């Protein structure tokens, strides 16, 4: 099972977490966030994908960060419409060239009023969805949503599963991965449940989680 550790902020902590070899590490480029990241990203092991998280940012700002930090994925965590995703994909393709693909992740807030119908316009315009808990913040609200709300997901786009996931969810995750829906689950996204303070992850807790998940 692929694992993404999001909301990384401190270079030394990034190096500690990178030793656990998560599949992705996420960096938030939304200034109001307590996990807002500035500065260079330390050199990470080659297999780890670098994900830039943006909230209603201009395409030019995203392209600047992708170029400067050599990002592999762009995660859109605001109200970006499908047309924006199309334009961004075209610009990322120009920037990357024929030898490289920079993928797009569109975050979707899941609450009781969640409808799959809202996702159809994004099909073919993004590479992944990311299902997160609906709350006061664009992300990092620290609690899980009811994964049963995803039952009946019939779109082709694979997804990241996010929203307050911690060690307490290991058994539920194992059960989830035994369902037919798991075939479309590209990765598990973790963040606030493993923090000692915003942006500072507990490597020991993360190691325990990753070992349990990858059994």
């Amino acid at each position: 099972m692929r694992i993404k550790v999001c909301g990384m902020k401190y270079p030394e902590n990034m190096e500690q977490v990178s030793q656990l070899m998560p599949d992705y590490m996420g960096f938030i480029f939304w200034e109001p966030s307590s996990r807002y990241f500035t500065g260079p990203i330390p050199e990470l092991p080659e297999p780890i994908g670098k994900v830039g998280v943006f909230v209603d940012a201009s395409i030019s700002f995203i392209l600047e960060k992708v170029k400067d930090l050599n990002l592999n994925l762009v995660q859109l965590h605001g109200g970006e419409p499908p047309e924006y995703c199309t334009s961004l994909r075209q610009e990322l393709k120009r920037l990357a060239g024929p030898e490289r693909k920079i993928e797009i992740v569109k975050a979707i807030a899941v609450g009781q009023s969640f409808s799959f119908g809202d996702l159809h316009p994004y099909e073919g315009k993004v590479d992944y969805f990311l299902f997160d808990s609906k709350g006061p913040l664009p992300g990092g609200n620290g609690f899980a949503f009811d994964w049963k709300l995803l039952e009946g997901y019939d779109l082709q786009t694979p997804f990241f599963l996010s929203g307050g996931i911690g060690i307490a969810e290991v058994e539920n995750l194992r059960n989830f991965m035994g369902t037919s829906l798991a075939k479309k689950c590209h990765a598990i996204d973790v963040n606030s449940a493993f923090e000692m303070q915003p942006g500072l992850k507990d490597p020991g807790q993360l190691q325990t989680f990753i070992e349990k998940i990858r059994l």
Side-chain angles (χ1 to χ4, degrees):
M1 181 187 298
R2 299 179 189 90
I3 295 171
K4 170 175 171 261
V5 181
C6 199
M8 302 301 299
K9 186 173 181 177
Y10 303 101
E12 184 177 351
N13 192 223
M14 294 171 197
E15 293 172 349
Q16 292 171 333
V17 172
S18 72
Q19 294 175 17
L20 305 177
M21 294 304 295
D23 299 276
Y24 303 99
M25 292 176 68
F27 309 89
I28 297 175
F29 301 107
W30 184 58
E31 196 165 350
S33 173
S34 58
R35 302 171 183 88
Y36 178 60
F37 176 69
T38 60
I41 297 172
E43 187 172 349
L44 302 176
E46 186 68 28
I48 299 177
K50 293 182 287 188
V51 185
V53 181
F54 303 88
V55 180
D56 297 318
S58 68
I59 288 179
S60 61
F61 178 71
I62 293 176
L63 295 176
E64 176 187 332
K65 291 298 183 183
V66 169
K67 183 177 180 180
D68 289 348
L69 300 174
N70 196 30
L71 302 178
N72 305 102
L73 291 87
V74 170
Q75 181 175 318
L76 305 175
H77 231 293
E80 300 88 359
E83 299 77 19
Y84 175 100
C85 298
T86 297
S87 297
L88 176 61
R89 171 170 271 185
Q90 292 170 347
E91 293 299 325
L92 289 173
K93 189 173 182 178
R94 291 192 188 98
L95 178 65
E99 302 300 322
R100 182 175 173 230
K101 182 180 180 182
I102 302 165
E103 297 180 308
I104 298 176
V105 184
K106 180 68 185 84
I108 306 294
V110 181
Q112 291 301 320
S113 60
F114 171 70
S115 171
F116 291 131
D118 298 334
L119 308 184
H120 285 282
Y122 290 95
E123 279 274 67
K125 299 177 175 65
V126 301
D127 298 282
Y128 308 99
F129 292 120
L130 182 146
F131 294 123
D132 199 1
S133 304
K134 187 173 184 178
L137 299 173
N141 287 292
F143 58 89
F145 67 90
D146 184 358
W147 299 341
K148 290 182 179 180
L149 293 171
L150 299 181
E151 290 179 356
Y153 179 74
D154 59 354
L155 283 77
Q156 296 304 307
T157 305
F159 62 85
F160 288 68
L161 184 65
S162 186
I165 296 173
I167 290 178
E169 279 70 47
V170 166
E171 193 60 36
N172 289 337
L173 281 171
R174 287 177 176 164
N175 292 335
F176 176 82
M177 297 313 291
T179 68
S180 59
L181 184 59
K183 295 177 182 178
K184 294 183 179 178
C185 183
H186 177 73
I188 303 300
D189 182 289
V190 300
N191 188 349
S192 58
F194 293 94
E195 289 185 330
M196 297 178 282
Q197 66 183 58
L200 183 65
K201 304 300 189 284
D202 184 329
Q205 289 289 305
L206 274 171
Q207 181 176 4
T208 298
F209 177 79
I210 291 172
E211 288 174 351
K212 287 179 178 291
I213 287 298
R214 288 179 171 168
L215 282 176

